[in-house]
Amino acid sequence: MPDTFGKSALLLILAMSGVQTASAVNTIEAAQANAHGIPHPAVIAHRGASFDAPESTAAAYTLARDLGADYLEMDLQRSKDGVLFALHDNSLLRTTDVAKKFPERKDSPASAFTLAELKTLDAGSWFNQSYPTRARQSYVGLPILTLDEIIDIAQGNPQHKPGLYIETKEPKQFPGIEHDLKNKLNERGWLEPATGAKAEPQVGQGKGRVILQTFEKSSLGLLQKEMPDTPKILLLWVGEDSITPKTTLSFADSGEKDKAAYYAKQQPKDQAEFIRWLDIAKTNGAIGTGPSAALTHGGDQSYADLIQPWMNKATHDKGMLVHVYTLDEPVDFKKAMAAGVDGIFTNRASELLKYFQRPAPQTVNQLLEKNGY
Ligand code: G3P
Ligand code: CA
């Protein structure tokens, strides 16, 4: 039984809200999520609809929005001149043409560039080269986006307004980013429900319109201090600065053929270590955790399996939700839901929405074309 809500009160909230539930098993968690204004199960578009369009660009975020995703996920960084923008990697090399435009500075962190410099980069062409079957000429030259621009996208479709799921990426590299984020969200009116929102607001208009996420417990504490009323998730993985592993054997020494196989064998040191991290999350203000998962078909997003049923139960028993990262295939959606998760980060929002029987109003191709791609 969760320790923050009474069971009958939760069931009453659920009955009054008309909230969608994954299954009767997760009824209590559905009510908890709904009490925070968070859909259950939640569809979190990881860097936008990043399977179908270049990650963290307008093509990916407008597509995720128009497909009907609940949240647009982003990794937040700060430019040299202090502007908040979205980019996953520390470096610009993988997803832009920085090597061509700034050859001497190509290995510098993205944060060493001004916004004007970042805006000269092509953050779309790499996708066409990496994924030729999904390539589009219109992706060439897509720019890196600021947080302001992503907020504009989130607000841009009257039929569907998703929320924002914002990660403070490498927060030790960006002292004060939690404060800057609060100021920006406050300036844009995103720290409270939208004015004029109906009794049953869309996700991007209600009290769960922003979820804050981080791997760093220090950043979680700072986010809690700056934005105590905004839901927060502590991301979990097995390794440095997170859950201590059972064995400290490196990938190189493990004899495994690829990283997915190596990570799949990683486990928390013991049950107490996993539960210690749940307590860290809760003590620092998190309403849930974001654990990694081992994917059925491996790949570079396959990590330690931290969504085993006992883990999800332990998290639920502490009154917290579980949003797992990053699943793209029905076989993994099914396993995760059966294990009891409450939301899924996905690069393929179209597939997850279909799985949850919330199909998009149009196909991926139709929506990309409608949006000018
Ligand atoms: O934020 C959840 C998930 O995105 C964490 O992994 O490395 O893709 O940011 P990463
Ligand atoms: Ca992320």
Side-chain angles (χ1 to χ4, degrees), residues 231-307:
K232 287 160 216 80
I233 293 283
L234 181 63
L235 299 167
L236 300 177
W237 78 304
V238 175
E240 199 182 338
D241 290 334
S242 192
I243 299 171
T244 305
K246 195 168 257 177
T247 153
T248 51
L249 203 62
S250 69
F251 171 56
D253 294 333
S254 69
E256 294 297 344
K257 61 180 186 334
D258 59 37
K259 284 218 165 159
Y262 168 70
Y263 285 128
K265 291 202 172 145
Q266 281 196 320
Q267 286 285 317
K269 191 174 90 181
D270 50 32
Q271 275 204 1
E273 171 63 4
F274 183 80
I275 288 164
R276 188 173 76 83
W277 277 90
L278 298 183
D279 289 332
I280 288 171
K282 186 147 187 167
T283 308
N284 285 283
I287 58 113
T289 63
S292 62
L295 307 182
T296 304
H297 297 118
D300 59 7
Q301 291 187 120
S302 188
Y303 300 107
D305 178 6
L306 295 180
I307 54 165

Side-chain angles (χ1 to χ4, degrees), residues 96-311:
T96 78
D97 58 348
V98 68
K100 195 166 96 193
K101 301 240 172 79
F102 298 94
E104 295 83 28
R105 297 163 65 198
K106 68 181 170 47
D107 296 312
S108 300
S111 55
F113 292 75
T114 64
L115 182 68
E117 289 170 336
L118 292 170
K119 282 288 189 185
T120 66
L121 298 174
D122 171 358
S125 290
W126 72 273
F127 182 92
N128 289 351
Q129 283 144 24
S130 299
Y131 307 109
T133 58
R134 283 169 257 151
R136 287 175 185 251
Q137 185 56 33
S138 53
Y139 292 162
V140 174
L142 285 176
I144 285 173
L145 296 179
T146 63
L147 173 58
D148 257 323
E149 290 168 327
I150 300 172
I151 292 175
D152 290 341
I153 289 172
Q155 295 178 155
N157 177 353
Q159 266 71 52
H160 181 70
K161 294 184 186 296
L164 301 173
Y165 208 122
I166 307 173
E167 178 178 354
T168 48
K169 189 57 103 187
E170 305 288 347
K172 286 180 186 144
Q173 205 188 114
F174 301 109
I177 196 167
E178 297 83 3
H179 185 70
D180 294 349
L181 176 57
K182 177 185 86 174
N183 286 345
K184 175 55 67 183
L185 291 172
N186 205 24
E187 176 195 317
R188 295 297 305 259
W190 269 66
L191 282 184
E192 51 198 36
T195 48
K198 298 186 193 123
E200 282 188 44
Q202 298 188 49
V203 185
Q205 299 175 305
K207 58 186 169 178
R209 66 195 309 206
V210 176
I211 300 180
L212 304 168
Q213 46 157 346
T214 182
F215 280 102
E216 300 266 346
K217 63 182 175 192
S218 58
S219 189
L220 177 61
L222 291 169
L223 290 169
Q224 174 68 0
K225 187 166 153 255
E226 295 286 349
M227 293 168 271
D229 300 326
T230 303
K232 287 160 216 80
I233 293 283
L234 181 63
L235 299 167
L236 300 177
W237 78 304
V238 175
E240 199 182 338
D241 290 334
S242 192
I243 299 171
T244 305
K246 195 168 257 177
T247 153
T248 51
L249 203 62
S250 69
F251 171 56
D253 294 333
S254 69
E256 294 297 344
K257 61 180 186 334
D258 59 37
K259 284 218 165 159
Y262 168 70
Y263 285 128
K265 291 202 172 145
Q266 281 196 320
Q267 286 285 317
K269 191 174 90 181
D270 50 32
Q271 275 204 1
E273 171 63 4
F274 183 80
I275 288 164
R276 188 173 76 83
W277 277 90
L278 298 183
D279 289 332
I280 288 171
K282 186 147 187 167
T283 308
N284 285 283
I287 58 113
T289 63
S292 62
L295 307 182
T296 304
H297 297 118
D300 59 7
Q301 291 187 120
S302 188
Y303 300 107
D305 178 6
L306 295 180
I307 54 165
Q308 296 164 48
W310 73 264
M311 295 170 166

Side-chain angles (χ1 to χ4, degrees), residues 46-47 73 75 88 167 169 213 215 235 325-326 345:
H46 185 243
R47 309 178 202 168
E73 194 263 354
D75 306 290
H88 177 267
E167 178 178 354
K169 189 57 103 187
Q213 46 157 346
F215 280 102
L235 299 167
Y325 67 93
T326 304
F345 292 80

